[in-house]
Amino acid sequence: MTDEEIISNINKVRTQIAEAEKKSNRKEGSVKLCAVSKFHPVEAVIASLKANQFLFGENRVQEAYSKFTEIAKTDEGKNAELHIIGSLQTNKVKKAVEISSCIESVDRTELLDEIEKQCTKLNKTIEVFFEMHTGEESKAGYVDFASLQKDVALCAEGKYPHIVPKGLMTMAPFTEDRELIRKSFVTLRECREKLNAEFPSLPITELSMGMSNDYEIAIQEGSTIVRVGTAIFGVRQY
Ligand SMILES: *Cc1c(COP(=O)(O)O)cnc(C)c1O
């Protein structure tokens, strides 16, 4: 992909997001775009910054760390913001909290404990999203609502002063069945509604859902952040 192609793709996705907002009677600008730059080089991120795309998502900490420490040193890169969106091993938390503003893939108590520990050392406050398992084919995330509820309760009790629980994240199943995809997004939205009712003091507002193939459905179902990789940067070479 050339820089021009990346910039043009970002603008296309923005237009589609705006159309989807309108069609589903959502407020203009209520859906943020997270550009998923995994497997793509530093240059692809720099090109995006030129289109005023500042929010990025990466799923592997090692790769994200080397890329985003380099990007932070450039003039354009000062405004870049990174979300970690992939399942996170406990021993990678230290680096993850150093480079990101939000960890979207929290899926267990042990991870919250470690994020709190590392953020305390850095004197940093970080946002987290809880990842819910809503589709049969995705293995990541809390499998049952009760275990999610338990961890959110720990946040509400004040166990994690350096963590701001800001939202929920999910990946829809990889399928052609649009109704199955929709069901997964509805489930996430209903989880947020239940958590908001039970923990009104917590700022759980964001719904990170929707990827290149399904973000329009996600927007119809209330997504506030779509995570788009392929539609911006092209097919990944694994
Ligand atoms: C790779 C990835 C995306 C982006 O997927 P595309 O289909 O390329 O848009 C979104 N979310 C997560 C968690 C990912 O790992």
Side-chain angles (χ1 to χ4, degrees):
M1 284 274 164
T2 64
D3 289 7
E4 288 69 28
E5 285 171 313
I6 290 172
I7 291 167
S8 147
N9 288 341
I10 288 173
N11 287 323
K12 268 185 228 155
V13 173
R14 280 178 179 154
T15 304
Q16 271 160 18
I17 290 173
E19 277 169 13
E21 285 172 344
K22 203 179 246 172
K23 253 195 255 167
S24 39
N25 291 316
R26 305 270 314 271
K27 221 176 103 202
E28 196 187 328
S30 54
V31 180
K32 289 182 279 269
L33 172 60
C34 176
V36 178
S37 50
K38 65 187 185 196
F39 289 91
H40 296 287
V42 166
E43 290 71 27
V45 174
I46 305 273
S48 311
L49 289 164
K50 288 182 187 140
N52 291 330
Q53 174 61 39
F54 299 114
L55 178 59
F56 297 90
E58 291 270 344
N59 68 341
R60 298 190 311 178
V61 174
Q62 198 55 49
E63 176 190 342
Y65 190 86
S66 59
K67 274 158 67 176
F68 279 80
T69 47
E70 193 178 329
I71 288 158
K73 289 181 202 147
T74 65
D75 279 342
E76 305 98 315
K78 303 265 184 300
N79 297 318
E81 182 182 347
L82 177 67
H83 285 191
I84 296 294
I85 60 173
S87 53
L88 187 54
Q89 289 170 266
T90 311
N91 63 3
K92 303 267 168 63
V93 168
K94 183 173 186 290
K95 282 194 163 154
V97 300
E98 260 183 62
I99 53 167
S100 69
S101 62
C102 177
I103 295 176
E104 294 198 11
S105 41
V106 168
D107 61 359
R108 57 194 190 278
T109 318
E110 186 197 21
L111 209 47
L112 287 167
D113 292 342
E114 186 65 17
I115 293 170
E116 176 60 30
K117 182 177 152 195
Q118 296 301 335
C119 281
T120 305
K121 283 190 202 162
L122 288 175
N123 195 21
K124 169 176 179 164
T125 301
I126 200 163
E127 293 182 351
V128 304
F129 297 172
F130 299 93
E131 181 172 0
M132 268 302 283
H133 174 102
T134 59
E136 288 316 304
E137 280 158 74
S138 147
K139 288 188 193 75
Y142 291 90
V143 176
D144 59 301
F145 183 70
S147 51
L148 166 67
Q149 213 173 11
K150 218 174 95 244
D151 282 356
V152 175
L154 295 175
C155 293
E157 286 158 18
K159 190 181 175 195
Y160 304 114
H162 294 84
I163 295 176
V164 183
K166 210 51 194 61
L168 303 179
M169 187 268 260
T170 201
M171 273 171 98
F174 185 71
T175 167
E176 292 292 308
D177 185 340
R178 313 301 274 176
E179 286 318 303
L180 215 53
I181 292 172
R182 185 180 300 280
K183 211 171 126 220
S184 161
F185 296 147
V186 170
T187 301
L188 196 71
R189 189 186 65 224
E190 289 173 349
C191 283
R192 185 189 62 183
E193 283 160 13
K194 283 189 246 172
L195 293 173
N196 288 160
E198 190 175 347
F199 306 102
S201 66
L202 295 179
I204 302 179
T205 51
E206 306 282 1
L207 287 179
S208 174
M209 57 190 200
M211 310 185 358
S212 291
N213 286 325
D214 55 23
Y215 67 88
E216 287 181 287
I217 307 174
I219 292 170
Q220 289 165 11
E221 296 305 337
S223 171
T224 64
I225 301 183
V226 292
R227 307 178 309 271
V228 178
T230 310
I232 294 174
F233 300 110
V235 176
R236 291 175 287 273
Q237 309 288 326
Y238 290 100

